[in-house]
Each structure stands twice: as C-alpha cells, then as structure tokens.
Amino acid sequence: MSSPLSIALRDYPHTRPLLDGTIPVEGHEVDYADVEPINHAFAPMVRELRYDVCEMAIATLFQAIEAGVRVSALPIVLHGNFHHRSLWSWGEQRLRPRDLRGRRVGVRAYSQTTGLWVRGVLSDVYGVASKDITWVTTEGAHVETYAEPANVERTDAKLVDALRAGDVEAVVMGTRSADHVDGLAPVVTDWQEQQRAWLDERGWVPINHVAVVRTDLLEDDPDAVAAVYRALTAGIEHARPPEPGTTTRELVVEHGLTDRLLATLETAIRYAREQQVIRTDLRARDLFTDFEKHLGTDLKDL
C-alpha cells in the first residue's frame, strides 16, 4: 500500500473542504501537515522536498526554479491580495511613496512576495526603484543559495521596533499584522483608489501563493497529481458564493492556465528580475511546463 500523500496548505475557505475531508483526493490517503503560518512550509519544501504538494509563495517558486529545485507549479492560485496598503510608517511622519528614495525600509525577507509586489508598485507607479532604497531584513531567503543584492541589510530587531527606533523609515507588513500595531499609517494614503486603478488597468489582483508539487511525483505518478488538482479545483468551486461578488479572494483565487494567471506571473517575474530576486530569464509558461507535459493541456479532463 502506498504512503499517504503529504500536503501542506493553509486553511482558507477554498482549502477547508479538503482539510476537513469533505472533498477527498480520490483514490489516495492524505496527510495534511499542520503548519502555521504557512510560510514555515516553504523552506522545508525547497530545501528538502518535505511535502508531496505544498502551498508556495511565487517569489520562492521563482528562486527555486532558478536554483534547479525539483518542484513544479500547478495552475492553482491559493492566495493573493493588493499590496498598496502593505507599506507603513508612523502616522506623524506622513511619508509619501516618493519620499522613500534614499531611505531605509524594513521587510521580513528581501525575497518575500509581499515585498516583491510593494517594490513593484513603488517602481511602476511612483518611480522609486528597488535599488534606490536600503532594505533592512530580519531573515534570509527560503532558497539557501540565493545571494541578496548589495542594498540589503540584516537586523536582529523586530521590524516595528526598528521603525520605532528610527532605524528604518517604513516597513512592509500585511494588513492583518499591521492592524494590531497602534500608530502605523499607510504610506500610500489613497490606497483604495490606487487598488481600483490597478485592477482597472491590469485586470488582475497580485498573486502571492500557488500550489506546487514534487517534480518526481508528477513524473512517476501523474494520476495522483491529477487527483490532487481535481480536489483543489473542487475546493475553489465549492467556496464560490451562489451570487459571486467582487471580493479580493474571489478575484484572485482561480484554477487553470488562464491568460490572467500568466499575465500576473509575467509581471511578477519582471519585478523579480528588476529587483534581483532572480537573475535569469524565466517565462510564466515555463513554470507549468512539467504540468502540461505530464497531465496534458486540456484541463477539463482532469
């Protein structure tokens, strides 16, 4: 009897039916890893291939592919968000995005996907390039071989403490974390307007996490991966409300090799190259070459 498939997923409305057994992976037993927060699964996956299937941040995926790690992306978007409100300073500072040129900004890791999108917004919308800022980080990349650019420093302090102490002028932080810290104010003050403009212009919400699979499993047992893909797809469809609205989750979570998925990833790859998160050529379609090769291009049959 084969071993259960090991899968690491965060608990979302669209993954909960899998995690609680409502939606099975047909023909397979599954061992869902208890990993919280989910980013703690990324390093074990790219360093030791600990899981058969794993949720993964796209910046980590790009770096893993560049480093030759044997992981393959599935066209399953698990998480994403706008990041205009992911850049914070103390309220009394009243910093504007263009004020950050030549300053120090804290971010958990330079390769963090939220930071990738924030730097993309600063560059594309406000003309402030990644190289114009010193990035102060608390940890390195999940992919151990990655070498950070020269304008990246490490600190032992917590980001909020570094901000309070004046060691950094702003920090990159998701809204769920920032909402628990009194005194923070978004650097992009008209973030709601900017998010609407972003969506109107591009037609997509930035992707943070997709699903990946061990490449050897995809090669040796494509039927198992197809069963996982079908379960993840069913979870996404199960979570759709009867009358779909326009929540961020509904806009970004999707399955299939859509033009929107590829366009989003192409922009993320451009940002990664510009910011030296990766240093080699990569195309969005390349991320799914193994998936297409072993499972075919007609996703309706999966």
Side-chain angles (χ1 to χ4, degrees):
M1 184 176 179
S2 60
S3 301
L5 293 172
S6 59
I7 301 179
L9 296 172
R10 182 181 169 190
D11 184 354
Y12 304 102
H14 47 283
T15 59
R16 195 166 303 136
L18 280 73
L19 298 174
D20 67 17
T22 301
I23 295 177
V25 176
E26 293 180 5
H28 298 272
E29 294 185 10
V30 177
D31 178 15
Y32 288 107
D34 184 12
V35 185
E36 178 61 37
I38 192 60
N39 63 285
H40 288 180
F42 302 163
M45 185 63 181
V46 297
R47 296 179 186 184
E48 58 192 74
L49 298 177
R50 182 175 297 181
Y51 311 105
D52 293 314
V53 179
C54 186
E55 182 171 340
M56 184 171 288
I58 59 171
T60 299
L61 173 62
F62 299 163
Q63 292 185 335
I65 297 299
E66 181 175 58
V69 178
R70 295 268 291 165
V71 294
S72 301
L74 302 180
I76 295 284
V77 179
L78 293 168
H79 174 57
N81 210 338
F82 294 104
H83 293 293
H84 298 76
R85 196 163 70 107
S86 295
L87 186 61
W88 306 83
S89 64
W90 286 125
E92 63 269 18
Q93 286 183 289
R94 299 188 182 280
L95 287 177
R96 298 169 301 177
R98 289 185 175 86
D99 296 331
L100 295 177
R101 187 178 285 107
R103 309 251 189 157
R104 296 164 61 82
V105 176
V107 61
R108 178 174 58 79
Y110 186 72
S111 57
Q112 181 189 26
T113 297
T114 297
L116 176 85
W117 286 115
V118 167
R119 291 189 296 268
V121 169
L122 287 174
S123 177
D124 275 6
V125 180
Y126 300 100
V128 181
S130 176
K131 62 182 178 58
D132 296 334
I133 293 172
T134 297
W135 299 94
V136 180
T137 65
T138 61
E139 60 185 68
H142 299 300
V143 177
E144 289 183 295
T145 56
Y146 171 66
E148 295 168 333
N151 61 323
V152 177
E153 299 180 2
R154 194 84 77 244
T155 180
D156 293 329
K158 294 181 179 179
L159 291 181
V160 171
D161 292 341
L163 184 62
R164 286 195 185 102
D167 186 44
V168 297
E169 281 78 23
V171 294
V172 174
M173 189 179 298
T175 54
R176 290 201 309 166
S177 299
D179 285 343
H180 295 291
V181 181
D182 292 334
L184 291 181
V187 174
V188 180
T189 55
D190 60 341
W191 56 271
Q192 290 175 306
E193 179 182 338
Q194 292 298 327
Q195 287 178 180
R196 286 193 294 269
W198 179 284
L199 184 60
D200 288 343
E201 179 181 345
R202 294 166 172 82
W204 46 260
V205 175
I207 292 169
N208 277 53
H209 299 172
V210 296
V212 304
V213 61
R214 285 182 16 241
T215 304
D216 65 302
L217 178 65
L218 183 56
E219 294 170 342
D220 298 339
D221 195 352
D223 289 342
V225 178
V228 171
Y229 180 83
R230 286 194 298 269
L232 289 168
T233 296
I236 291 172
E237 293 303 321
H238 182 273
R240 295 196 194 281
E243 296 181 6
T246 56
T247 66
T248 300
R249 182 177 66 82
E250 290 173 56
L251 289 170
V252 70
V253 172
E254 65 175 346
H255 56 83
L257 277 170
T258 65
D259 290 342
R260 181 169 57 187
L261 169 67
L262 296 175
T264 311
L265 291 174
E266 285 293 353
T267 297
I269 289 168
R270 173 170 67 85
Y271 288 163
R273 285 293 307 276
E274 292 172 352
Q275 301 167 21
Q276 297 186 59
V277 171
I278 58 173
R279 296 178 172 88
T280 56
D281 290 330
L282 182 65
R283 295 185 312 142
R285 196 87 190 197
D286 295 340
L287 301 173
F288 305 101
T289 298
D290 296 327
F291 176 82
E292 293 186 280
K293 176 181 177 181
H294 295 285
L295 295 183
T297 57
D298 189 357
L299 304 184
K300 295 179 182 178
D301 293 337
L302 293 182

